[in-house]
Amino acid sequence: SRANTVRIDKNTLHLVLDSAGARILHITADGKLLPPLFLIAEPDETGAPDRKQPEVLDATRFGARPNSQPQTAALQKALDACAARATGGIVYIPEGCYLTGTLRVQSNTRLYLAAGAVLRAVDDPTAFPPDTGQTESGDEGIHHSHSRLLLFDRARHSGLFGRGTLDGNGAVLRNRHKRRVQLIDAHDCRDLRIEGVVLRNTASWTLHILHCDGVRVTDVKILTDWDVANSDGIDPDSSRNVLIERLFCYSGDDAIAVKTT
C-alpha cells in the first residue's frame, strides 16, 4: 500500500516506492513466513572517496580479499597503516564479503564501506577475544559484553561511513557459541562519525558508545534478529554531546537506550 507500483516478473519483484523512508515487506511461501525484506529508499550516495587519492588506502592493496577465508590480518594491517600516517586517511573496503574477527580503529582513521561491501563476523568465537581480565557468556542477565566486531579504541577524529554493511553473524555467535559479541564498541573517543551504513545481525548491543564526547550517528540502518536477545540498537553510555539523527532501527530490544554504567 506504500508503493506506487508493484509488479511480479517471473521470479523478480519490482517495486516503485512513493517516498523516501523504510518499509518492511513480509512474505509467506508455502505457508511459512520468510525473514523480512527491508526496503530503504534514500538519496544516491554523494562524497564517496576516490581510491586513487593518496589519503585513501584500498584494503585490497594490503591483501584483503572477499572470499570464505578470514581477512582479519589484512584488514587490520590497512587500518594500522592508516593510523600511522601523520595526517591519517580513509581505509576503503570495496564490494564483496570479507569475513573477519575483531578490528581495531585508531585515531584519524575513517573506515569506508562501499556499496555492496560486507564485513561479516567469522564463525569462530576465538576471533573475538574479550577484554583482558573479563569473561562473558550468552546467557541473559547481569553479564555484559566485553568483545566486539569493530572497536574504536580511544580514537580521535575517526569514523565509519558508506553504503556497505557490518554483519555481526549474531545468531551463530550468540545462540550457537554463547558469545555476546557486540557489533561496534566506541571507548573513550572524541569526534566520532558513523554515517550511512547498515548495521545488522549483532550478537548483543549493536552500537555501544562508552565514555565518549562528540559522537554523530546519521542515516544509519540497524537491522537485528529478534531471535537474538539483548540486541539493542544504540546505547550511549556515560557519554555526552551525542547526536543521533535519521535512524532506522528494527530491534527486538531497545532502539536507543541511554545508560550510565
Side-chain angles (χ1 to χ4, degrees):
S1 63
R2 294 179 63 186
N4 284 347
T5 303
V6 179
R7 178 171 57 87
I8 298 177
D9 179 13
K10 295 183 179 178
N11 292 325
T12 303
L13 177 65
H14 300 268
L15 301 101
V16 178
L17 304 183
D18 55 11
S19 61
R23 284 86 167 161
I24 304 173
L25 185 63
H26 297 284
I27 303 174
T28 299
D30 298 326
K32 181 182 292 186
L33 186 64
L34 301 179
L37 173 64
F38 296 91
L39 306 173
I40 300 175
E42 48 189 357
D44 290 339
E45 182 181 17
T46 59
D50 183 350
R51 297 162 73 176
K52 298 179 182 179
Q53 294 302 310
E55 70 275 9
V56 179
L57 282 67
D58 189 329
T60 60
R61 300 204 323 253
F62 294 83
R65 296 291 182 269
N67 57 38
S68 59
Q69 299 301 314
Q71 302 296 304
T72 313
L75 293 168
Q76 189 62 60
K77 185 177 180 180
L79 290 167
D80 291 345
C82 186
R85 290 165 47 96
T87 57
I90 296 170
V91 174
Y92 189 110
I93 309 296
E95 179 181 359
C97 184
Y98 303 80
L99 297 180
T100 181
T102 296
L103 297 173
R104 178 172 174 259
V105 183
Q106 303 177 67
S107 294
N108 303 312
T109 302
R110 299 178 67 206
L111 178 60
Y112 175 76
L113 302 181
V118 179
L119 291 183
R120 190 168 194 261
V122 67
D123 180 5
D124 177 6
T126 66
F128 310 93
D131 297 329
T132 302
Q134 302 288 352
T135 59
E136 64 180 24
S137 75
D139 297 328
E140 295 187 54
I142 63 172
H143 300 287
H144 179 66
S145 175
H146 299 282
S147 61
R148 71 289 299 167
L149 176 59
L150 187 64
L151 171 64
F152 289 92
D153 187 13
R154 293 166 289 180
R156 305 300 188 259
H157 318 299
S158 296
L160 170 68
F161 70 114
R163 290 291 177 84
T165 298
L166 203 63
D167 188 323
N169 203 8
V172 170
L173 291 176
R174 180 66 176 261
N175 296 343
R176 182 188 302 171
H177 298 301
K178 307 303 179 185
R179 288 295 308 282
R180 295 180 55 132
V181 179
Q182 294 182 154
L183 196 62
I184 302 176
D185 268 343
H187 286 179
D188 193 22
C189 295
R190 303 292 182 270
D191 186 24
L192 178 68
R193 301 287 183 268
I194 300 177
E195 304 169 297
V197 292
V198 175
L199 308 177
R200 75 181 184 202
N201 299 337
T202 184
S204 187
W205 296 351
T206 303
L207 172 56
H208 187 197
I209 302 167
L210 179 63
H211 196 235
C212 295
D213 190 352
V215 178
R216 183 167 182 166
V217 182
T218 308
D219 295 315
V220 166
K221 287 74 65 175
I222 294 177
L223 314 176
T224 70
D225 185 344
W226 284 23
D227 291 329
V228 177
N230 308 116
S231 53
D232 288 13
I234 302 178
D235 295 88
D237 188 349
S238 307
S239 297
R240 63 181 183 177
N241 298 316
V242 176
L243 174 64
I244 301 168
E245 55 184 354
R246 296 192 300 276
L247 170 72
F248 175 76
C249 183
Y250 178 88
S251 171
D253 206 328
D254 300 313
I256 301 173
V258 179
K259 299 179 182 293
T260 55
T261 59

